[in-house]
């Protein structure tokens, strides 16, 4: 097969892969982020402590993560047909890709959020902040560098899943490698597909690492910025700050 014959196939395959991975990543982040935060909030000592709910949610996540993607894809065929009207093509592949990625990303979110300094949570609570404020002002911003890294890991995993989706006619680079590289013995095209996947994954990983490092330097988790802002905001209004006032006044009087 000549390059002029390969080029349109590869261009369409790349577009199909980006389309599937992009939409499934978006759905995974929207579904996995609140699920991962909920796992932290409902755990022992959490702000919404509920051991039963935490165990149930955790078990569902574990079961979903334990299923190999190819089995999950087959098991969800009826659901996929109900959602998209078909079980073949890139739109149909988005359904199992997203459902498989949500629990994967949720566990990564849980790990990232657990590393946030609990002292910051207590500081916001002392200022009268509710759970939504804590999540929005502390948990998510402080864990943002780790969340970016988690999203990068999820994208890389989804690219691998999308290649497996090619076995059921979902399109993409995996489909090209199977139909032409394996079934038609077009070894050159298969190795070009492998090289494209390697380059794409390397670029995504580099971009994710660069963004995470940039956020960390600007004051992500363990950075000084948000902590200093919280401490400054706490000083005038907190009971602790008010309680030191009389003491300092008495010292002044004694002096």
């Amino acid at each position: 097969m000549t390059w002029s014959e390969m080029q349109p196939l590869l261009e369409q395959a790349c577009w199909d892969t980006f389309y599937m991975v992009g939409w499934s990543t978006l759905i995974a982040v929207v579904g996995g982020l609140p699920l991962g935060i909920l796992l932290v909030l409902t755990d022992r000592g959490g702000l919404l402590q509920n051991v039963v709910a935490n165990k149930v949610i955790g078990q569902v996540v574990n079961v979903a993560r334990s299923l190999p993607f190819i089995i999950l894809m087959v098991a969800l065929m009826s659901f996929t047909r109900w959602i998209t009207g078909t079980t073949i093509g890139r739109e149909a592949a988005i359904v199992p890709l997203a459902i498989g990625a949500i629990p994967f990303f949720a566990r990564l979110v849980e790990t990232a959020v657990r590393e946030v300094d609990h002292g910051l949570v207590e500081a916001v609570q002392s200022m009268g902040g509710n759970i939504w404020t804590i999540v929005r002002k502390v948990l998510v911003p402080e864990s943002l560098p780790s969340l970016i890294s988690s999203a990068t890991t999820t994208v890389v995993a989804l690219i691998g899943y999308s290649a497996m989706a090619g076995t059921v006619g979902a399109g993409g680079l995996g489909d090209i490698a199977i139909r032409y590289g394996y079934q038609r013995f077009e070894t050159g095209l298969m190795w070009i597909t492998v090289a494209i996947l390697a380059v794409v994954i390397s670029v995504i990983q580099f971009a994710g690492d660069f963004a995470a490092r940039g956020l960390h330097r600007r004051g992500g988790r363990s950075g000084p910025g948000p902590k200093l802002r919280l401490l400054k905001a706490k000083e005038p209004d907190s009971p602790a700050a008010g309680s030191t006032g009389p003491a300092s006044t008495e010292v002044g009087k004694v002096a």
Side-chain angles (χ1 to χ4, degrees), residues 21-22 24-26 29 101 104-105 148-162 200-201 204-205:
V21 172
S24 55
T25 299
L26 178 62
V29 170
F104 179 83
F105 184 66
I148 295 295
S149 298
S150 300
T152 304
T153 303
T154 303
V155 172
V156 172
L158 281 171
I159 292 175
Y161 291 166
S162 70
V200 168
I201 289 174
I204 291 173
Q205 190 66 57

Side-chain angles (χ1 to χ4, degrees), residues 54-140:
N54 183 267
K55 294 297 182 183
V56 171
I57 297 172
Q59 193 61 34
V60 171
V61 170
N62 290 337
V63 170
R65 288 182 61 199
S66 66
L67 291 175
F69 178 71
I70 191 70
I71 296 177
L72 179 66
M73 196 163 45
V74 173
L76 291 174
M77 278 188 173
S78 298
F79 180 70
T80 300
R81 185 181 291 109
W82 180 67
I83 294 291
T84 64
T86 182
T87 58
I88 299 175
R90 62 186 189 183
E91 284 78 13
I94 292 173
V95 176
L97 283 171
I99 293 177
I102 286 174
F104 179 83
F105 184 66
R107 281 300 185 190
L108 296 177
V109 170
E110 180 189 10
T111 302
V113 173
R114 285 190 188 280
E115 295 177 358
V116 174
D117 187 359
H118 191 67
L120 296 176
V121 176
E122 294 177 345
V124 176
Q125 283 181 308
S126 69
M127 292 185 287
N130 56 23
I131 295 175
W132 170 243
T133 301
I134 292 172
V135 171
R136 187 166 56 91
K137 295 292 187 180
V138 179
L139 297 182
V140 172

Side-chain angles (χ1 to χ4, degrees), residues 175-234:
D175 182 52
I176 292 294
I178 292 169
R179 283 196 295 126
Y180 291 90
Y182 176 72
Q183 295 177 350
R184 302 185 186 183
F185 303 102
E186 294 286 350
T187 307
L189 180 58
M190 184 179 67
W191 283 113
I192 291 174
T193 303
V194 172
I196 291 174
L197 286 171
V199 170
V200 168
I201 289 174
S202 298
V203 170
I204 291 173
Q205 190 66 57
F206 174 80
D209 293 343
F210 181 80
R213 286 195 299 268
L215 288 171
H216 191 78
R217 287 194 297 267
R218 290 176 57 186
R221 194 186 64 235
S222 78
K227 293 184 180 181
L228 290 177
R229 287 197 297 270
L230 282 170
L231 292 175
K232 289 177 181 178
K234 181 181 175 182

Side-chain angles (χ1 to χ4, degrees), residues 24-44:
S24 55
T25 299
L26 178 62
I27 297 171
V29 170
V30 171
L33 182 61
L35 187 61
I37 294 174
L38 189 62
L39 284 169
V40 176
L41 295 179
T42 57
D43 200 4
R44 295 182 185 276

